[in-house]
């Protein structure tokens, strides 16, 4: 499986806007906050791997 890295650009109610950081891209991905770790906030760096998100320390 592939691994992707994101940063949380903004939070909007029950959704988060994520931007990929491992490749050059201007696309913003809308993701339900229920799929993200509970401590996710704006500026949090995330890794998506094996169908789940985790925080990059």
């Amino acid at each position: 499986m592939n691994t992707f890295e994101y940063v949380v650009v903004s939070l909007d109610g029950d959704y988060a806007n994520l931007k990929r950081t491992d490749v050059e891209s201007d696309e913003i991905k809308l993701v339900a906050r229920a799929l993200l770790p509970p401590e996710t906030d704006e500026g949090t760096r995330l890794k998506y791997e094996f169908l789940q998100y985790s925080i990059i320390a």
Side-chain angles (χ1 to χ4, degrees):
M1 281 219 137
N2 294 333
T3 300
F4 304 101
E5 292 183 13
Y6 295 94
V7 65
V8 179
V9 176
S10 64
L11 300 173
D12 186 19
D14 291 335
Y15 296 93
N17 294 300
L18 308 181
K19 184 177 187 308
R20 273 194 68 185
T21 59
D22 57 331
V23 295
E24 189 68 33
S25 174
D26 289 330
E27 278 188 52
I28 300 294
K29 180 177 182 177
L30 185 66
V31 176
R33 289 180 70 180
L35 300 174
L36 304 176
E39 56 274 5
T40 301
D41 202 0
E42 289 184 11
T44 302
R45 294 179 58 226
L46 300 168
K47 176 173 65 171
Y48 181 74
E49 183 175 49
F50 300 113
L51 302 175
Q52 71 180 28
Y53 292 92
S54 59
I55 294 178
I56 299 172

